[in-house]
């Protein structure tokens, strides 16, 4: 009788144990299958008990399958609950650490001094700037960005974009764009997309450095160096003075206001070619819509880390202008000033030949020329003093050096000091004529928030 009770309790125990352990399901099924296929197995045990019929085995199999199905359904419900909980936790984390609206920016206090060989009075400018950036997350793939700039020239008390002559005076820019950027950015598949008013900057800010109203698409290709090769295509409209003083410009040769109806097309390639070296290329075209006057620009350059603390840049550019149309630069920098690392600093030296029509918008890189339009006017007395003859020319070339130091005294601040000196030519012909001594000194304090 005891043996019958042991056998009678063995099979239910086997069923319960296999239901509790998901990994034991195949073993339980195999055991029942083996017992069905080999009823003579365990003959000694069955010899001392009542025989197990085929019907009883099928009933136990059915019960076991029901229990296994219930266990599987319970496991599926638990998995669904865990997945839902994980999604809710991610939403909570996103709300806690990634708010839908972000606002940051920086302020600048700047003092610039220009000295020209042929002028007795040096130009001295003191300005204050405030740039605010906003980001609104539409969803996980798209966001809306904006940049707002507020500036005041403390020397002349003129506001943003007014120029040295004021808004309604000669030399004023006659327009205002306090909203420098306003664009949507997101991803369509593996392609990054921008649309609106955004900042288009060529590699090293060498040939194009301005805002345009249009669209941009960029695509990255992974490389073995761990960095992507990025290709960026941009198109839109911009406000530019690229044709101001251009001898190929027949419609408004000396129009200070420039022309806002300019179409821009730009293609940029940035390709890692070694572990610490990147190659950068740019093709740009700007065309005035009303008379189809256009300018094309090409540039190529590279940057490389010579060692842990030493970095080198170089680049050349050329345009299809009939005047001065070739530029180049070389820069060597030691260390790097990072606003998030107090005490960090860098020291650099830059040699460059910058010419007017090598750039699509900026005549000179890094604010070398004057703030308004960089032209030059001479007044000569003719006919025994009875007539005044104005001779216009534009600074067409600068060839010189810049030495600079950047330092981070406290977190989220930076002090920039640089001194530029060299020769500046005034003509727009192939020969700039006489070159004048020129120097430019800048001190700037930046605060980030």
């Amino acid at each position: 009788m005891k043996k019958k009770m042991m056998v009678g309790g063995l099979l239910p125990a086997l069923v319960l144990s296999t239901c509790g352990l998901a990994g034991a399901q195949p073993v339980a099924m195999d055991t029942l299958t083996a017992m069905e296929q080999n009823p003579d197995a365990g003959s000694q045990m069955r010899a001392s008990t009542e025989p197990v019929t085929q019907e009883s085995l099928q009933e136990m199999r059915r019960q076991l399958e029901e229990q296994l199905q219930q266990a599987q359904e319970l496991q599926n419900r638990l998995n669904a609950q865990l997945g839902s909980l994980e999604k809710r936790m991610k939403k909570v984390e996103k709300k806690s650490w990634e708010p839908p609206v972000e606002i940051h920016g920086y302020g600048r206090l700047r003092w610039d001094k220009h000295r020209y060989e042929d002028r007795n009075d040096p130009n001295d400018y003191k300005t204050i700037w405030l740039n605010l950036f906003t980001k609104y997350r539409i969803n996980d793939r798209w966001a809306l960005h904006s940049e707002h700039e507020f500036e005041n020239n403390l020397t002349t008390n003129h506001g943003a974009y007014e120029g040295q002559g004021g808004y309604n005076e000669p030399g004023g820019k006659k327009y205002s764009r306090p909203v420098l950027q306003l664009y949507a950015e997101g991803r369509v598949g593996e392609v990054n997309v921008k649309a609106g008013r955004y900042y288009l900057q060529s590699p090293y800010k060498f040939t194009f450095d301005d805002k345009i109203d249009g669209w941009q698409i960029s695509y990255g290709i992974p490389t073995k160096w761990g960095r992507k090769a990025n290709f960026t295509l941009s198109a839109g409209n911009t406000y530019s003075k690229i044709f101001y003083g251009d001898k190929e410009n027949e419609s408004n040769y000396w129009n200070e206001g420039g022309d806002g109806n300019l179409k821009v097309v730009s293609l940029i390639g940035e390709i890692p070619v070694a572990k610490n070296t990147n190659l950068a290329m740019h093709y740009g075209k700007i065309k005035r819509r009303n008379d189809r006057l256009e300018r094309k620009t090409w540039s190529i350059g590279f940057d490389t880390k010579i060692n842990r603390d030493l970095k080198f840049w170089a680049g050349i550019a050329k345009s299809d202008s009939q005047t001065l149309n070739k530029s180049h630069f070389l820069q060597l920098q030691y260390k790097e000033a990072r606003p998030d690392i107090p005490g960090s600093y860098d020291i650099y030296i830059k040699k460059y030949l910058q010419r007017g029509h090598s750039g699509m918008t900026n005549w000179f890189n890094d604010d070398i020329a004057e703030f308004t339009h960089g032209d030059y006017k001479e007044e000569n007395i003719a006919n025994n003093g009875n007539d005044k003859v104005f001779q216009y020319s534009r600074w067409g070339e600068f060839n010189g050096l810049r030495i600079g130091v950047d330092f981070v005294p406290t977190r989220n601040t930076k002090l920039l000091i640089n001194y530029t000196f060299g020769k500046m030519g005034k003509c727009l012909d192939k020969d700039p004529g006489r070159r004048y001594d020129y120097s430019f000194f800048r001190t700037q304090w930046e605060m980030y928030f």
Side-chain angles (χ1 to χ4, degrees), residues 75-110:
Q75 183 178 359
N76 292 337
R77 288 197 298 268
L78 290 174
N79 290 338
Q81 291 177 359
L82 289 174
S84 177
L85 179 61
E86 184 178 1
K87 291 180 180 180
R88 290 196 296 268
M89 290 181 63
K90 287 183 177 180
K91 289 182 179 180
V92 172
E93 291 176 354
K94 184 176 181 180
K95 291 181 179 180
S96 302
W97 301 102
E98 297 181 4
V101 178
E102 295 181 8
I103 300 176
H104 68 279
Y106 65 93
R108 291 173 287 174
L109 295 173
R110 176 185 293 177

Side-chain angles (χ1 to χ4, degrees), residues 213-230:
D213 301 319
W215 55 266
Q216 180 183 93
I217 57 175
S218 59
Y219 181 70
I221 302 175
T223 66
K224 66 178 181 179
W225 310 110
R227 305 185 306 279
K228 287 186 176 181
N230 292 304

Side-chain angles (χ1 to χ4, degrees), residues 347-366:
I347 303 171
Y348 65 91
I349 182 170
K350 180 177 182 180
K351 190 276 175 185
Y352 49 121
L353 170 65
Q354 188 76 19
R355 284 168 168 166
H357 292 299
S358 301
M360 293 174 66
T361 54
N362 287 347
W363 285 90
F364 299 108
N365 198 18
D366 299 333

Side-chain angles (χ1 to χ4, degrees), residues 148-330:
H148 311 269
E149 183 175 88
F150 307 91
E151 174 263 344
N152 186 265
N153 189 323
L154 301 178
T155 304
T156 61
N157 198 30
H158 290 150
Y161 307 105
E162 291 183 0
Q164 299 308 309
Y167 185 81
N168 294 317
E169 300 296 330
K173 292 191 176 182
K174 307 295 191 301
Y175 76 107
S176 179
R177 289 175 63 176
V179 181
L180 293 186
Q181 297 191 82
L182 181 60
Y183 64 91
E185 183 177 26
R187 298 189 67 82
V188 178
E190 297 299 322
V191 178
N192 192 69
V193 179
K194 283 184 181 180
R197 176 178 295 172
Y198 62 92
Y199 190 20
L200 176 59
Q201 187 179 85
S202 65
Y204 319 121
K205 299 191 296 185
F206 195 30
T207 52
F208 196 94
D209 181 23
D210 209 342
K211 279 78 178 176
I212 73 170
D213 301 319
W215 55 266
Q216 180 183 93
I217 57 175
S218 59
Y219 181 70
I221 302 175
T223 66
K224 66 178 181 179
W225 310 110
R227 305 185 306 279
K228 287 186 176 181
N230 292 304
F231 299 91
T232 304
L233 176 64
S234 304
N237 273 42
T238 190
Y239 179 95
S240 174
K241 294 184 176 181
I242 182 64
F243 298 120
Y244 176 71
D246 191 336
K247 292 192 173 182
E248 300 170 49
N249 179 14
E250 298 178 355
S251 61
N252 51 355
Y253 187 79
W254 290 109
N255 180 14
E256 295 180 348
D259 191 334
N261 193 22
L262 296 173
K263 180 181 179 181
V264 176
V265 177
S266 171
L267 179 61
I268 298 173
E270 298 170 300
I271 307 172
V273 294
K275 182 179 179 181
N276 295 316
T277 304
N278 301 293
L279 180 67
M281 300 167 288
H282 179 231
Y283 165 76
K285 182 173 74 172
I286 185 168
K287 179 185 292 187
R288 191 163 58 192
R289 296 181 185 273
N290 58 0
D291 60 0
R292 316 298 290 179
L293 180 62
E294 68 178 30
R295 179 76 60 241
K296 297 178 182 178
T297 307
W298 302 267
S299 69
I300 185 170
F302 73 95
D303 59 87
T304 183
K305 293 190 70 173
I306 301 174
N307 56 39
R308 178 180 177 181
D309 297 323
L310 202 60
K311 192 171 184 179
F312 179 72
W313 295 261
I316 58 175
K318 187 180 186 303
S319 74
D320 62 350
S321 171
Q322 298 178 9
T323 57
L324 302 172
N325 61 8
K326 296 179 182 178
S327 297
H328 67 257
F329 80 94
L330 305 168

